[in-house]
Amino acid sequence: MNFHSSRRRGEDGIAMVIDFLLSNARLVLGVGGAAVLGIATLAVKRLIERAGRAADDEKVEQKMAESWEELSLVSASPTLIKKGIEGVVMKHVAKAAKQQKADLCQQPQLSSLEVQTKPEPKSKRLQLCVLSLQERLQQYYHTRVALAEHEVQRAQSLALDICMEIQAFLHSRHPDMPLGEMSLGGSLLDDLQVVSADHACLLVPLQLEASLWRLVPGEETLLTHPLHWMVRRVNLEYFPRGRSYWDRYLVGGYLSSEAVVNMFSKAIMETINWPSISSTMDCLVRPVLGGPDLRLEIRPGNEQEGPQISDQPLFISMLPLLREGDVVLTAQPELTSPWVNAWHLSLYPWETQRLAQLDTADDGCRRQTLKILKAACRLNPALRPLEAAPLANLILHLSDSESDWSQISLDVRFQQCIVELIGYLEQGALHSYFKPAVNLLSGLSEDQVDQMGFMLYCAVSEPEILLM
């Protein structure tokens, strides 16, 4: 955190104390303690500013009391109190505040003429403070979060062109492969993508014979993981192996998602003439090899395409999937490894549909809040490990207890999301709205949790730091 120095006499001393405390906080207190110290120093900073602006001693005492009330945030975390951090933080803060109060008492009062003739240059952060949080959120949404219409249309057009090329190639080379109609999916299609239109998802549905295959829920398998389903080959005594096209990808009596992905990698990524497609589309198209997923990279060509065309690459992920009713299973070995037979149960369609239904019912701002949180996490390195799924489930859980999601409550809900997220990080668990046995924070390391906790603790009293 950077605290901009003021021209008021005596602030150099407190600035040095604050800088020393913050620079050594992680070494002495650990990351969790540094988060608490960050909140405390923000409160002391407000105390200094309010006391410096006060006109008489009575107002100074009143403003100081208001600032000290903000330090109640320090004791809001039972986890940190157990570590014995609160006493250390309060000791340093009290010492710094006492020194600053003494400096303020010795400060001579400037005349009104001197104040008027010495205007202080305002930093970007101080200029943002002129706006209310509600206004700042709306400004952030329209300038940083929401995508331009032409950008979305261009990305969707490129993705559809690739979709048609791949589908035509598969029909000509593998006419017997039973596939459904390929289509676009994901956040780009659902108006949930933020910051830039840089990724799209190409859905490749596999068609299975209902009498030959059975989808087995994760809880009924040996894996006992709610999101790791399996696809069992049934009725082998009546319909022996070979009757279904997909029998060639059986492993141990189950359809292997890893084998299916490997097949598409060889049939599409390593076989299609991508330079020819690049020439047809006037852009560079190439597969991203070496990873567990099926991904293409598209970059603008050398021709002049106009000032509105971004040179940022577009990544398209191919996603083989199975559908049965409202159940969608995807072949994503990076999520189901090391189980080669496991298919991932995608909760994204349920979450997206539920958010849309709630917003439609009360004209709410849940999806807008989600997009702001996604952008804040994507643009903040400390919060970047936090993906969209935990944020969407955070809002779904909060919707059960809060009914007012109108536009005028956007700032309140945004701040509430920050506080709720801190609580989930302290517990180390944020359970899925539709599958409570799934902990959506289980993939985060302890260091990542500490880094996010530090930033979010600071954002409790200064939410604008997430909107820079």
Side-chain angles (χ1 to χ4, degrees):
M1 292 182 298
N2 293 323
F3 291 100
H4 299 286
S5 59
S6 171
R7 289 187 173 85
R8 292 195 299 273
R9 179 185 172 186
E11 189 156 339
D12 289 342
I14 190 65
M16 292 176 62
V17 174
I18 291 175
D19 289 340
F20 175 79
L21 291 175
L22 289 177
S23 62
N24 293 275
R26 288 195 63 175
L27 179 62
V28 178
L29 304 176
V31 178
V36 179
L37 182 57
I39 300 173
T41 50
L42 285 174
V44 173
K45 177 175 175 286
R46 287 188 174 185
L47 180 149
I48 296 168
E49 294 175 348
R50 291 169 178 168
R53 291 195 300 264
D56 49 59
D57 293 341
E58 181 180 353
K59 290 185 177 180
V60 170
E61 296 297 331
Q62 179 182 357
K63 298 296 183 181
M64 289 175 64
E66 292 176 359
S67 294
W68 283 113
E69 289 177 0
E70 295 175 0
L71 291 179
S72 61
L73 288 170
V74 175
S75 60
S77 172
T79 304
L80 297 177
I81 292 176
K82 291 178 183 178
K83 295 181 180 179
I85 293 173
E86 183 180 14
V88 179
V89 174
M90 295 301 293
K91 178 181 177 181
H92 286 291
V93 172
K95 181 179 178 181
K98 183 177 180 181
Q99 178 183 347
Q100 178 61 20
K101 184 176 180 181
D103 291 340
L104 287 174
C105 293
Q106 298 174 1
Q107 176 180 338
Q109 296 292 329
L110 297 176
S111 65
S112 60
L113 180 61
E114 291 175 326
V115 173
Q116 292 177 1
T117 56
K118 295 181 180 180
E120 295 186 3
K122 294 184 177 180
S123 66
K124 178 182 178 181
R125 186 174 180 183
L126 291 178
Q127 291 174 352
L128 292 177
C129 291
V130 175
L131 299 175
S132 66
L133 179 59
Q134 178 79 2
E135 294 170 333
R136 181 70 185 105
L137 286 170
Q138 294 292 351
Q139 180 191 63
Y140 182 75
Y141 179 78
H142 291 293
T143 59
R144 304 292 299 279
V145 180
L147 303 180
E149 185 64 26
H150 68 84
E151 187 180 0
V152 175
Q153 291 178 352
R154 176 178 177 272
Q156 290 182 349
S157 176
L158 288 174
L160 284 173
D161 289 343
I162 289 293
C163 176
M164 294 175 61
E165 293 285 350
I166 293 177
Q167 187 157 308
F169 176 83
L170 288 175
H171 284 169
S172 62
R173 287 294 188 93
H174 306 276
D176 57 337
M177 183 184 296
L179 296 175
E181 193 72 19
M182 297 184 188
S183 61
L184 297 184
S187 59
L188 183 65
L189 190 68
D190 297 324
D191 190 27
L192 289 176
Q193 196 159 137
V194 297
V195 182
S196 63
D198 57 2
H199 61 281
C201 189
L202 176 57
L203 306 180
V204 185
L206 281 58
Q207 293 181 336
L208 300 180
E209 299 86 350
S211 60
L212 303 182
W213 303 93
R214 176 176 175 263
L215 307 188
V216 183
E219 297 87 347
E220 300 179 14
T221 68
L222 294 175
L223 305 180
T224 66
H225 193 296
L227 300 184
H228 293 173
W229 286 41
M230 300 182 77
V231 183
R232 179 187 300 160
R233 177 67 157 87
V234 296
N235 293 330
L236 283 171
E237 62 274 17
Y238 302 108
F239 304 99
R241 185 168 177 166
R243 293 291 295 270
S244 173
Y245 177 89
W246 302 108
D247 282 342
R248 64 193 72 182
Y249 306 109
L250 281 175
V251 176
Y254 295 88
L255 180 61
S256 171
S257 61
E258 185 175 280
V260 170
V261 169
N262 290 338
M263 178 272 293
F264 278 115
S265 179
K266 293 178 181 178
I268 297 177
M269 300 297 173
E270 302 176 10
T271 307
I272 290 183
N273 188 347
W274 296 112
S276 175
I277 293 180
S278 299
S279 174
T280 303
M281 297 178 58
D282 291 331
C283 58
L284 177 61
V285 183
R286 59 186 178 187
V288 180
L289 302 176
D293 56 345
L294 305 169
R295 182 179 299 188
L296 296 171
E297 179 185 3
I298 303 179
R299 289 185 177 273
N302 296 326
E303 289 84 358
Q304 189 111 10
E305 299 190 55
Q308 291 185 331
I309 301 301
S310 171
D311 59 352
Q312 186 171 10
L314 171 68
F315 292 93
I316 299 179
S317 297
M318 283 186 58
L319 200 58
L321 57 86
L322 302 171
R323 284 196 183 102
E324 186 177 279
D326 61 346
V327 172
V328 176
L329 304 182
T330 59
Q332 295 179 275
E334 66 273 18
L335 299 180
T336 56
S337 178
W339 317 111
V340 298
N341 290 342
W343 290 71
H344 177 71
L345 173 64
S346 177
L347 301 179
Y348 174 82
W350 299 354
E351 296 162 355
T352 305
Q353 183 180 12
R354 179 61 177 166
L355 286 172
Q357 289 174 346
L358 291 172
D359 275 352
T360 302
D362 58 8
D363 196 22
C365 62
R366 295 171 186 82
R367 287 159 55 88
Q368 183 179 3
T369 305
L370 173 59
K371 293 171 71 173
I372 292 175
L373 290 172
K374 286 177 62 176
C377 290
R378 177 172 177 175
L379 298 175
N380 191 309
L383 302 178
R384 203 164 289 161
L386 203 58
E387 298 179 347
L391 299 176
N393 283 268
L394 166 68
I395 294 177
L396 288 174
H397 284 301
L398 193 57
S399 296
D400 287 343
S401 58
E402 298 293 342
S403 58
D404 184 9
W405 286 85
S406 59
Q407 283 291 331
I408 60 175
S409 300
L410 177 62
D411 57 339
V412 178
R413 295 293 162 257
F414 179 75
Q415 290 178 299
Q416 196 171 3
C417 284
I418 295 175
V419 175
E420 291 290 323
L421 191 52
I422 291 174
Y424 288 124
L425 288 173
E426 286 181 348
Q427 298 171 14
L430 197 172
H431 298 288
S432 168
Y433 186 81
F434 292 101
K435 291 287 183 179
V438 177
N439 178 13
L440 299 173
L441 300 181
S442 61
L444 298 176
S445 68
E446 183 177 351
D447 186 63
Q448 289 174 331
V449 171
D450 286 342
Q451 293 284 355
M452 288 187 285
F454 176 81
M455 178 59 64
L456 293 172
Y457 267 117
C458 296
V460 171
S461 56
E462 296 284 346
E464 288 83 3
I465 66 175
L466 299 180
L467 308 177
M468 296 297 184

